[in-house]
C-alpha cells in the first residue's frame, strides 16, 4: 500500500493534537543525542538572518550548520481552534535564534521514524527513539521533523536507525500537512 505525503500528515494529526496538548518537560528533549557536538546558544543569542554562521553556533562542517535539537527546542506554542481540522492545534512561536535558521543549510542527527511506504521520498526524524518520541512519549512537537529527500530520492530506513541528514531548514507555522520543522532537499550523510 502506498501512502501520500498528505495522507501521512492526516494520519499524524490526531497524534500531534492528542500528545502535545499538555506542557512538556523540555529537559529530556535531546536525551539520546547529547554527544552531538554542537555549541549551546547564549540565553540572549545574537541574530543575523543572513549570516548565522557567525552568530548562531560555531560548529560548521562542509558549509552546513551542525544543528542540535536543543536549539530547535527554543519554541513555544499557542493553541488555536482550526475550523478545517475541527480541533485545537498548536501554533509555534519560534525564537529569534530559530527564525534565523530558516532556509539555512543544516546538518542534524536523529532517530528515523519511517512512515508508510518504506520507499517513500520522505520520513520523520526524531530527537528521541520511537518509544520516547513525540508520538508515543512525553516529548513535544519540537523534537521531530519531516525529512523530504532530495529530488524524490527513495531510501529504506529502519525504525530508530540513527541517521545524519543535510538539507535546508524550513519552519512551518500553519501547514498542517507537515510538522513544524521540515528539512528540504535532504540527503543522508554517510
Amino acid at each position: 500500500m502506498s501512502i501520500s505525503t498528505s495522507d501521512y500528515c492526516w494520519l499524524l494529526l490526531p497524534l500531534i493534537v492528542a500528545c502535545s496538548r499538555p506542557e512538556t518537560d523540555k529537559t529530556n528533549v535531546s536525551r539520546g543525542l547529547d554527544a552531538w557536538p554542537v555549541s549551546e546558544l547564549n540565553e540572549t543569542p545574537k541574530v543575523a538572518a543572513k549570516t548565522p554562521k557567525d552568530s548562531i553556533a560555531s560548529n560548521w562542517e562542509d558549509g552546513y550548520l551542525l544543528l542540535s535539537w536543543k536549539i530547535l527546542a527554543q519554541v513555544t506554542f499557542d493553541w488555536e481552534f482550526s475550523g478545517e481540522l475541527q480541533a485545537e492545534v498548536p501554533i509555534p512561536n519560534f525564537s529569534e535564534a530559530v527564525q534565523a535558521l530558516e532556509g539555512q543549510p543544516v546538518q542534524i542527527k536523529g532517530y528515523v521514524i519511517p512512515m508508510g511506504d518504506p520507499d517513500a521520498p520522505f520520513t520523520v526524524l526524531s530527537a528521541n527513539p520511537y518509544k520516547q518520541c513525540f508520538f508515543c512519549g512525553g516529548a513535544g512537537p519540537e523534537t521531530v521533523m519531516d525529512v523530504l529527500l532530495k529530488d524524490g530520492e527513495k531510501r529504506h530506513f529502519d525504525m530508530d536507525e540513527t541517521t545524519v541528514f543535510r538539507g535546508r531548514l524550513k519552519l512551518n507555522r500553519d501547514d498542517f500537512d507537515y510538522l513544524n520543522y521540515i528539512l528540504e532537499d535532504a540527503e543522508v550523510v554517510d
Side-chain angles (χ1 to χ4, degrees):
M1 179 174 110
S2 179
I3 186 168
S4 71
T5 303
S6 179
D7 291 339
Y8 139 80
C9 293
W10 282 106
L11 290 171
L12 292 180
L13 186 63
L15 292 169
I16 292 170
V17 172
C19 297
S20 65
R21 185 66 173 125
E23 289 297 315
T24 57
D25 177 10
K26 304 294 187 233
T27 60
N28 68 356
V29 168
S30 64
R31 178 180 304 160
L33 300 171
D34 286 335
W36 188 239
V38 177
S39 301
E40 292 307 314
L41 296 177
N42 297 330
E43 290 297 320
T44 55
K46 298 176 186 172
V47 177
K50 293 183 181 177
T51 58
K53 187 173 194 173
D54 299 327
S55 60
I56 300 298
S58 61
N59 290 332
W60 285 71
E61 184 175 297
D62 299 329
Y64 291 86
L65 170 66
L66 300 180
L67 185 59
S68 80
W69 291 99
K70 289 180 181 181
I71 292 171
L72 296 179
Q74 296 182 24
V75 60
T76 59
F77 295 89
D78 292 328
W79 287 87
E80 294 181 10
F81 184 80
S82 167
E84 175 187 357
L85 303 175
Q86 292 298 305
E88 278 195 354
V89 293
I91 306 298
N93 297 308
F94 300 108
S95 70
E96 288 183 4
V98 171
Q99 288 179 45
L101 297 172
E102 176 132 32
Q104 297 299 322
V106 298
Q107 178 173 307
I108 189 162
K109 181 178 183 180
Y111 299 94
V112 173
I113 302 174
M115 304 303 293
D117 182 356
D119 294 320
F122 60 89
T123 192
V124 171
L125 191 66
S126 174
N128 301 300
Y130 182 65
K131 65 183 177 181
Q132 297 173 339
C133 82
F134 166 62
F135 304 110
C136 296
E142 70 280 0
T143 65
V144 289
M145 75 171 47
D146 281 312
V147 176
L148 308 178
L149 297 173
K150 184 181 270 187
D151 299 325
E153 178 185 326
K154 296 178 182 180
R155 181 167 172 169
H156 173 76
F157 295 99
D158 294 325
M159 182 67 72
D160 285 341
E161 180 180 337
T162 304
T163 307
V164 178
F165 289 96
R166 286 181 174 172
R168 293 218 174 262
L169 184 65
K170 179 178 179 183
L171 305 180
N172 179 25
R173 293 167 182 82
D174 53 15
D175 184 348
F176 299 113
D177 286 339
Y178 295 93
L179 297 170
N180 297 132
Y181 294 116
I182 303 168
L183 192 63
E184 298 179 316
D185 296 322
E187 57 187 354
V188 175
V189 178
D190 294 318

